[in-house]
């Protein structure tokens, strides 16, 4: 029986999705016949070329159906269903990276069950946890109860999908909320991208999962609730995978899909050395990479460390969250503003591109903090474009099962309909105030010649809609 793994459309990224490729590799290693396709990029490219692009994105990001696109949505569903059925799978595994994929997945599964009732459908991924339309509803259970899917898998899927294919439905994570984390990431097979068409991607590169979990305990983050223990792969294991993928696909750019690249400094330093040595030996086709990066003090990230990052062609995504030091340290990011400036100076000196990630309007921030943040960016205008290539803003959200959610009463938070709709009673800062501040920051950084992106699109846009 052929198994097909695919990504659910709705992740508006020009990069490859990882899950189908790693699940295929696990299934093949266990003796099954499998195919992996990135359905997300196929739909992404169609929407990007569509004259009604904005209206189609509203369906995914706002769960809004405009009358003008009903036929177009039907065409997208037909395309996806035909693409899947043409590969004649007996089992279909759909991976949802985010909740933005949920509504389309409901429609797609219903459509597939109508066209091919005997097709067994199993869903998984971080996007299946809670229903985007009602957080108290278990999304996967809802679809299973309606017969749109047959089963679902929670948590790490590499081992549980193999047990599922063996019909061991009692294995932890299959149709249950309890699951077993993989103990050793080094034993997993390398992702199999042989079915992917890399010409479809605007950002052509190979995804790599080098770790899971995090060494920090930030109160706003649900990753530490998902993975209780930080897990990492050895530098040798990661570099061997890089070499394997270079041979297979002639691609030397890599995207680290994880919470942080420098969680284990010993292994990370070793990996940088391996990449630097490779780049010296292959000057015409060097490796380049990007990934999330923890800000540390100068002693932990000395100047020679920055020289290695430059030689390895690193692009760092820094989770700053707040430039207000007391706020940032209290939420779990234990580094100073002096540490941030040191990273900016080193990155500028060695031309290491940076992407800064910031949360707009954290519950403990005041109006004075808002003004401080704006001035902070004005004072660092000289870093625009070099090294700060981009700043990504996301509205502060109260995510389910996080420390921040458990501190609602302490912070005086009164929640609304979705995670980004709330008011802080202590500061009397409303959703409308934070939306206004969000827009002010966007306008300010535009005048400062800093490239900006709004992250967490669905919740941010929905907040803006509801706050009007």
């Amino acid at each position: 029986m052929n198994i097909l793994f695919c990504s659910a459309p709705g992740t508006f990224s020009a990069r490859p999705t990882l899950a189908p490729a790693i699940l295929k590799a696990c299934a093949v290693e266990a003796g099954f016949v499998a195919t992996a396709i990135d359905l997300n990029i196929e739909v992404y490219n169609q929407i990007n070329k569509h004259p009604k692009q904005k209206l189609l994105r509203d369906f995914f990001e706002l769960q809004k159906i405009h009358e003008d696109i009903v036929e177009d949505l039907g065409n997208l569903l037909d395309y996806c269903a035909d693409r899947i059925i043409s590969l004649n799978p007996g089992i279909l595994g759909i991976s949802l990276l985010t909740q933005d994929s949920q509504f389309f997945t409901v429609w797609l599964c219903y459509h597939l069950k109508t066209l091919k009732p005997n097709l067994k459908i199993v869903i998984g991924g971080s996007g299946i946890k809670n229903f985007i339309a009602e957080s108290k509803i278990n999304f996967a259970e809802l679809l299973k109860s309606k017969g749109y899917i047959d089963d679902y898998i929670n948590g790490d899927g590499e081992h549980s999908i193999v047990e599922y294919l063996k019909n061991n439905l009692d294995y932890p994570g299959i149709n249950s909320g309890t699951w077993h984390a993989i103990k050793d990431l080094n034993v997993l097979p390398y992702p199999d991208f042989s079915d992917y068409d890399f010409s479809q991607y605007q950002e052509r590169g190979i995804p790599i999962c080098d770790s899971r979990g995090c060494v920090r305990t930030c109160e706003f983050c649900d990753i530490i609730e998902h993975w209780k223990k930080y897990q990492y792969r050895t530098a040798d294991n990661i570099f061997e995978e890089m070499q394997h993928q270079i041979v297979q696909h002639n691609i030397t750019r890599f995207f680290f899909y994880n919470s942080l690249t420098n969680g284990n400094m010993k292994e990370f330093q070793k990996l940088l050395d391996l990449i630097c040595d490779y780049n010296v030996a292959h000057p015409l086709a060097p490796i380049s990479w990007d990934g999330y990066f923890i800000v540390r003090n100068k002693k932990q990230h000395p100047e020679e460390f920055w020289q290695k990052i430059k030689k390895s062609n690193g692009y760092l995504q820094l989770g700053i969250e707040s430039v207000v030091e007391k706020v940032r340290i209290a939420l779990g990011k234990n580094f100073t503003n002096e540490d941030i400036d040191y990273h900016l100076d080193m990155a500028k000196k060695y031309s290491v591109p940076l992407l800064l990630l910031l949360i707009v309007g954290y519950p403990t921030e005041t109006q004075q903090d808002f003004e401080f943040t704006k001035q902070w960016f004005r004072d660092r205008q000289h870093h625009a474009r070099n090294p700060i290539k981009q700043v990504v803003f996301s509205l502060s959200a109260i995510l389910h099962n996080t420390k921040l959610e458990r501190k609602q009463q302490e912070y005086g938070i009164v929640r609304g309909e979705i995670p980004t709709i709330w008011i802080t009673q202590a500061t009397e800062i409303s959703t409308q105030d934070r939306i206004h501040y969000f827009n002010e920051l966007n306008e300010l950084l535009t005048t400062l010649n800093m490239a900006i992106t709004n992250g967490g699109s669905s919740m941010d846009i929905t907040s803006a809609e509801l706050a009007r």
Side-chain angles (χ1 to χ4, degrees):
M1 180 182 292
N2 183 43
I3 303 116
L4 174 63
F5 297 108
C6 74
S7 52
T11 303
F12 286 92
S13 170
R15 296 182 172 189
T17 54
L18 177 59
I22 183 62
L23 293 173
K24 174 189 174 179
C26 292
V28 170
E29 184 181 58
F32 296 95
V33 177
T35 304
I37 61 172
D38 190 354
L39 205 55
N40 177 72
I41 194 64
E42 297 180 29
V43 171
Y44 171 88
N45 286 336
Q46 289 185 45
I47 291 176
N48 268 7
K49 297 173 185 176
H50 203 286
K52 301 172 188 173
Q53 176 189 153
K54 172 63 171 65
L55 301 182
L56 287 168
R57 289 189 66 139
D58 280 352
F59 172 75
F60 291 94
E61 298 177 331
L62 300 178
Q63 299 79 56
K64 178 185 286 188
I65 304 175
H66 299 278
E67 288 186 13
D68 292 351
I69 62 162
V70 171
E71 184 177 347
D72 300 295
L73 283 173
N75 292 336
L76 283 178
L77 282 166
D78 286 338
Y79 171 83
C80 292
D82 291 345
R83 179 84 165 92
I84 289 167
I85 292 173
S86 70
L87 296 169
N88 194 32
I91 298 176
L92 172 65
I94 304 177
S95 174
L96 286 74
L97 182 61
T98 72
Q99 289 178 314
D100 286 350
S101 298
Q102 287 184 353
F103 266 64
F104 193 85
T105 298
V106 173
W107 288 26
L108 179 59
C109 290
Y110 175 83
H111 193 35
L112 286 168
K113 283 294 187 180
T114 301
L115 296 173
K116 194 174 181 180
N118 293 329
L119 175 63
K120 184 175 284 189
I121 301 175
V122 54
I123 65 172
S126 56
I128 74 168
K129 288 185 287 188
N130 300 97
F131 192 25
I132 194 170
E134 174 51 68
S135 61
K136 295 179 182 179
I137 295 176
N138 184 305
F139 174 74
E141 280 288 353
L142 175 65
L143 268 62
K144 191 173 188 300
S145 69
K146 291 182 175 294
Y148 299 169
I149 64 170
D150 295 272
D151 301 286
Y152 62 88
I153 294 177
N154 265 315
D156 292 346
E158 291 89 345
H159 290 168
S160 51
I161 190 61
V162 172
E163 294 302 318
Y164 178 79
L165 297 176
K166 293 177 179 178
N167 204 34
N168 180 12
L169 301 186
D170 293 326
Y171 191 82
I174 299 176
N175 297 325
S176 81
T178 58
W179 53 279
H180 289 167
I182 293 173
K183 294 180 180 179
D184 185 1
L185 299 177
N186 295 287
V187 303
L188 295 176
Y190 301 147
D192 185 343
F193 297 99
S194 58
D195 302 314
Y196 281 41
D197 178 3
F198 283 97
S199 67
Q200 296 184 94
Y201 300 98
Q202 296 173 28
E203 297 187 56
R204 192 168 177 264
I206 302 287
I208 285 187
C209 175
D210 66 312
S211 64
R212 285 179 183 165
C214 191
V215 297
R216 304 289 195 206
T217 57
C218 299
E219 64 184 15
F220 62 86
C221 184
D222 60 353
I223 288 176
I224 57 173
E225 306 295 336
H226 194 69
W227 286 288
K228 302 293 185 182
K229 182 181 178 182
Y230 177 65
Q231 301 164 282
Y232 59 88
R233 293 168 59 189
T234 66
D236 288 332
N237 186 246
I238 296 167
F239 187 67
E240 286 170 6
E241 180 178 335
M242 287 179 158
Q243 291 178 300
H244 169 80
Q245 301 295 8
I246 290 171
V247 171
Q248 293 295 314
H249 304 288
N250 194 30
I251 295 174
T252 57
R253 187 182 183 190
F254 294 91
F255 308 125
F256 287 108
Y257 286 5
N258 52 37
S259 301
L260 68 165
T261 54
N262 60 333
N264 183 314
M265 284 296 292
K266 179 182 177 181
E267 293 299 326
F268 184 61
Q269 290 267 23
K270 185 176 180 181
L271 179 61
L272 290 180
D273 288 335
L274 291 169
I275 295 174
C276 289
D277 290 344
Y278 179 94
N279 288 351
V280 170
H282 302 81
L284 298 181
I287 288 174
S288 61
W289 61 274
D290 70 46
Y292 294 109
F293 190 83
I294 289 179
V295 175
R296 299 180 188 269
N297 60 47
K298 183 177 181 178
K299 184 178 179 181
Q300 293 173 296
H301 289 170
E303 187 159 353
E304 54 268 28
F305 175 71
W306 286 94
Q307 293 170 351
K308 290 181 183 180
I309 293 176
K310 172 60 178 176
K311 291 175 183 176
S312 68
N313 296 319
Y315 186 140
L316 309 183
Q317 302 177 35
L318 307 186
I320 303 297
E321 316 312 349
S322 174
V323 299
V324 182
E325 189 170 294
K326 67 180 188 299
V327 171
R328 184 180 60 253
I329 291 175
L331 64 81
K333 297 279 187 177
N334 193 26
F335 53 87
T336 67
N337 278 14
E338 183 179 347
D339 294 330
I340 298 175
D341 285 330
Y342 169 73
H343 281 62
L344 293 176
D345 291 340
M346 284 292 102
K348 192 178 190 74
K349 180 174 181 178
Y350 291 103
S351 298
V352 174
L354 302 180
L355 180 150
L356 306 187
L357 297 153
L358 278 95
I359 297 173
V360 175
Y362 199 73
T364 54
E365 286 187 338
T366 64
Q367 291 287 359
Q368 290 76 21
D369 294 330
F370 293 174
E371 295 305 314
F372 176 89
T373 300
K374 287 185 278 188
Q375 189 58 47
W376 188 91
F377 278 105
R378 292 189 191 101
D379 293 341
R380 286 154 186 79
Q381 184 178 6
H382 58 287
H383 287 310
R385 308 293 173 169
N386 180 24
I388 302 177
K389 293 294 183 182
Q390 194 174 9
V391 179
V392 177
F393 289 132
S394 295
L395 281 171
S396 183
I398 317 296
L399 300 181
H400 179 63
N401 198 29
T402 59
K403 288 183 180 180
L404 184 56
E405 183 184 55
R406 294 189 286 273
K407 285 186 174 182
Q408 287 180 89
Q409 190 171 358
E410 177 184 340
Y411 287 162
I413 294 171
V414 178
R415 296 177 69 174
E417 299 174 41
I418 61 173
T420 47
I421 297 293
W422 46 270
I423 184 171
T424 309
Q425 291 179 319
T427 58
E428 297 185 345
I429 294 177
S430 66
T431 300
Q432 289 85 350
D433 293 329
R434 288 183 292 109
I435 293 291
H436 179 69
Y437 171 47
F438 183 92
N439 292 333
E440 281 187 334
L441 277 178
N442 276 275
E443 292 169 6
L444 173 63
L445 266 65
T446 299
T447 64
L448 297 177
N449 194 33
M450 291 188 182
I452 52 174
T453 301
N454 295 330
S457 56
S458 65
M459 290 190 294
D460 291 341
I461 296 170
T462 304
S463 296
E465 293 277 328
L466 294 174
R468 287 175 183 169

